[in-house]
Amino acid sequence: MRSCEAIQEEFSALLDGELPPDVRAEIETHLFGCAECLRALGGMKKVDDLYRAMAAVSAPADFEARLKQRLRPAIRRAPARKTMPRRLWPLALAAGLLVVLSFFVMRVQAPAPDQFQLTQAQETFEAPKRLLTEAETARAPAGAAPMAPPLSSMDQERSLDIALPAPPIPELADTAESAAAPVDAVRPRAVASPPAPPTAAQIAGRAFSLVEEVWQEQGYAGEPVMPLPRDSAAFTALCDAHPELLQMAALGPRVVFQLQNIWYRIEPAADSAPH
Amino acid sequence: MVLLKEAHGRSDADLAEQCRDGDDAAFDELVHRHKDRVYRVVYRFLGNHDDARDVAQEAFVRAYHNMRSYSGQASMATWLLTIASNLARNRLRDQHRKGRDKGVSLEALAETAPGVPPDGVIVHDTPRSAAEFRELEENLEKCLAALPDTHRLVFALRVFDGLCYEEIAECADCAEGTVKSRLNQARRRLGECLRARGVI
């Protein structure tokens, strides 16, 4: 036999129809003989009725238009998704892998840097066969001249500039020279671009991927996050309790991860965070 | 328009699948279907229209960008309300941190001229005079605003949207037993508050 207080604990669930049949029967039996509980239940029902009868609220008339405006940049990108049906993803993945493999094979077979730069220039520019002038030859570093192919005057200059060991820093270069010719125009980048930075990582058995400059733990679906600046006491405390957080924090300036059903985002220290 | 019409009659799960394939008309239909209930719950939880609009919009933006993570296990409404509830709780937490109390907005709302509802509010056709109705609404809103955030959220999800305890537990990120006890406490406190104001 439950007390009135215990019975009243069930009133809310009774009103919502969320009680198991046996408990409901027990409450109803109690209510037949208890005026106080009956009054309390009536009061609770009155509260519900008043709130349910409140003025109806609906989204403002311009809600959808405003939302479209907010989503416009994303929607503009949508056709790109349409052009790649999901059945073609394996093909795209295979093509990507092929490109990456080719890159590594090329790197393994590539000649020494100086040699690579010169032969690359030769293949690229397809210059008419002419001998280098003595003055231009003199500008080339020792050992580079004999390997230099015959090039056009412009290409010679480009090729030789590539081979120069220490190009001047643009800001510190001779002003007359740098003003006359843009740095990029006379010093083309003949060296292969560096490998792309990683976009996926595993830490303590948890998978992370880089999405729009934020490292996100697998499973994150845009839920709200608890900001965790690196200079906060909370961050320090969490790192003490979970040392693997330090590894996660090393992934990048912003890292989203889950801990005890809460999503956190490690952020730059409050002082250094860009605004 | 033609696409929107075509989207009618399709289930939320179908529309979600079409969204994932880049069909923006399907997403428009989802917004059309669920915007009012999302807005209603968020408004009753936050207590002012500016924040409710921001949060409800942000919820749909998040949903758009994360449609791939919608598994279809929960209903679309519950999924959207979960996102919106989380955003709304974060909004309140930020406001508390900045010292901005939600009561300010409710007071501003109370200053609205009788009979002139703020944007998004439709006043019931009622025999009461506009002033009486407004006074009652103010009292109900003030008592609701006085509840702890956690209690107000479960109350809003139950009373203004009719979610079951299991769905509320998902949205509010707590156990069903917690939902039950918070709802009971919320109703008791609201009763006490309304009695103190002479409403009941």
Side-chain angles (χ1 to χ4, degrees):
Chain A
M1 191 77 177
R2 288 204 266 182
S3 66
C4 286
E5 196 179 341
I7 291 287
Q8 289 179 17
E9 288 295 320
E10 307 286 357
F11 279 177
S12 197
L14 180 72
L15 289 176
D16 292 330
E18 294 265 357
L19 281 181
D22 56 332
V23 181
R24 185 189 168 93
E26 182 193 349
I27 305 294
E28 284 172 353
T29 308
H30 179 92
L31 286 172
F32 275 120
C34 181
E36 188 192 332
C37 284
L38 201 59
R39 214 171 17 251
L41 180 64
M44 194 174 270
K45 187 165 186 321
K46 176 84 178 161
V47 169
D48 250 35
D49 290 345
L50 280 170
Y51 277 99
R52 285 182 204 278
M54 277 181 92
V57 176
S58 53
D62 62 350
F63 186 87
E64 288 174 68
R66 280 184 184 225
L67 181 63
K68 275 197 168 184
Q69 222 167 10
R70 281 185 70 173
L71 283 170
R72 194 169 288 159
I75 287 171
R76 262 196 227 116
R77 291 197 299 270
R81 285 187 294 160
K82 277 185 169 177
T83 57
M84 176 67 78
R86 274 189 275 176
R87 63 179 177 277
L88 293 182
W89 287 1
L91 204 63
L93 187 66
L97 279 173
L98 202 64
V99 169
V100 173
L101 273 174
S102 313
F103 172 75
F104 282 111
V105 168
M106 280 174 67
R107 282 201 64 170
V108 168
Q109 293 176 348
D114 283 353
Q115 190 187 349
F116 173 77
Q117 288 164 8
L118 288 168
T119 51
Q120 177 97 347
Q122 181 185 12
E123 286 163 8
T124 307
F125 300 131
E126 294 177 358
K129 296 177 186 294
R130 261 194 274 157
L131 290 173
L132 296 172
T133 61
E134 283 182 15
E136 284 164 343
T137 309
R139 287 177 61 197
M147 295 165 61
L151 301 172
S152 72
S153 58
M154 191 183 80
D155 293 335
Q156 287 157 13
E157 194 174 347
R158 294 175 76 168
S159 174
L160 288 165
D161 270 345
I162 293 162
L164 286 174
I169 299 166
E171 290 80 3
L172 302 176
D174 177 64
T175 48
E177 215 176 3
S178 57
V183 174
D184 284 345
V186 295
R187 191 161 17 93
R189 301 271 178 259
V191 184
S193 56
T199 56
Q202 284 270 351
I203 291 174
R206 297 157 73 166
F208 289 80
S209 56
L210 188 61
V211 181
E212 292 175 354
E213 298 180 1
V214 178
W215 283 94
Q216 296 181 357
E217 187 177 352
Q218 195 172 33
Y220 178 65
E223 294 90 344
V225 294
M226 180 87 78
L228 205 57
R230 288 166 194 267
D231 57 350
S232 64
F235 177 70
T236 312
L238 278 177
C239 285
D240 288 344
H242 306 274
E244 70 273 18
L245 291 189
L246 287 170
Q247 283 176 275
M248 295 177 196
L251 284 171
R254 289 180 175 77
V255 184
V256 174
F257 67 96
Q258 193 180 35
L259 202 61
Q260 292 164 351
N261 288 327
I262 297 172
W263 287 98
Y264 294 90
R265 185 173 60 215
I266 300 173
E267 294 183 340
D271 290 342
S272 62
H275 296 290
Chain B
M1 264 325 262
V2 175
L3 284 172
L4 256 179
K5 277 181 185 168
E6 281 177 4
H8 287 308
R10 293 181 191 170
S11 70
D12 284 351
D14 288 344
L15 291 173
E17 181 62 32
Q18 286 160 8
C19 285
R20 285 193 280 266
D21 286 339
D23 182 351
D24 289 322
F27 183 73
D28 291 346
E29 173 61 16
L30 283 176
V31 174
H32 189 71
R33 283 184 191 181
H34 297 288
K35 66 179 176 15
D36 284 338
R37 64 190 300 186
V38 168
Y39 186 86
R40 183 169 53 239
V41 168
V42 171
Y43 170 71
R44 290 301 180 200
F45 178 59
L46 292 174
N48 77 77
H49 287 283
D50 287 342
D51 285 340
R53 182 161 41 208
D54 278 357
V55 167
Q57 293 240 331
E58 182 62 22
F60 281 106
V61 169
R62 301 270 178 117
Y64 180 84
H65 289 299
N66 295 286
M67 195 56 79
R68 286 184 190 287
S69 69
Y70 173 64
S71 62
Q73 284 178 336
S75 72
M76 175 59 69
T78 307
W79 186 62
L80 288 170
L81 284 168
T82 303
I83 298 172
S85 301
N86 285 333
L87 288 169
R89 281 187 294 176
N90 283 359
R91 172 69 62 110
L92 271 193
R93 195 188 56 219
D94 290 347
Q95 286 176 359
H96 290 325
R97 219 181 266 160
K98 288 175 189 168
R100 180 183 152 196
D101 193 76
K102 58 191 175 293
V104 174
S105 299
L106 283 167
E107 281 162 17
L109 190 68
E111 284 166 11
T112 309
V116 183
D119 188 21
V121 175
I122 303 161
V123 178
H124 279 307
D125 187 13
T126 165
R128 287 196 191 101
S129 72
E132 279 177 330
F133 187 81
R134 193 66 229 152
E135 191 185 343
L136 173 64
E137 291 264 312
E138 281 170 34
N139 280 321
L140 292 172
E141 283 169 350
K142 282 179 177 166
C143 288
L144 189 59
L147 285 179
D149 296 346
T150 48
H151 293 55
R152 191 168 59 257
L153 179 63
V154 295
F155 184 78
L157 288 165
R158 175 65 210 170
V159 173
F160 300 116
D161 198 70
L163 292 189
C164 70
Y165 285 14
E166 187 185 352
E167 292 168 322
I168 296 171
E170 197 175 328
C171 290
D173 193 22
C174 61
E176 273 186 59
T178 311
V179 171
K180 184 179 159 186
S181 69
R182 281 180 186 171
L183 268 173
N184 207 53
Q185 287 172 27
R187 282 166 165 146
R188 274 190 184 181
R189 289 190 193 195
L190 287 171
E192 287 162 13
C193 178
L194 292 173
R195 264 188 291 279
R197 287 173 174 272
V199 175
I200 55 175

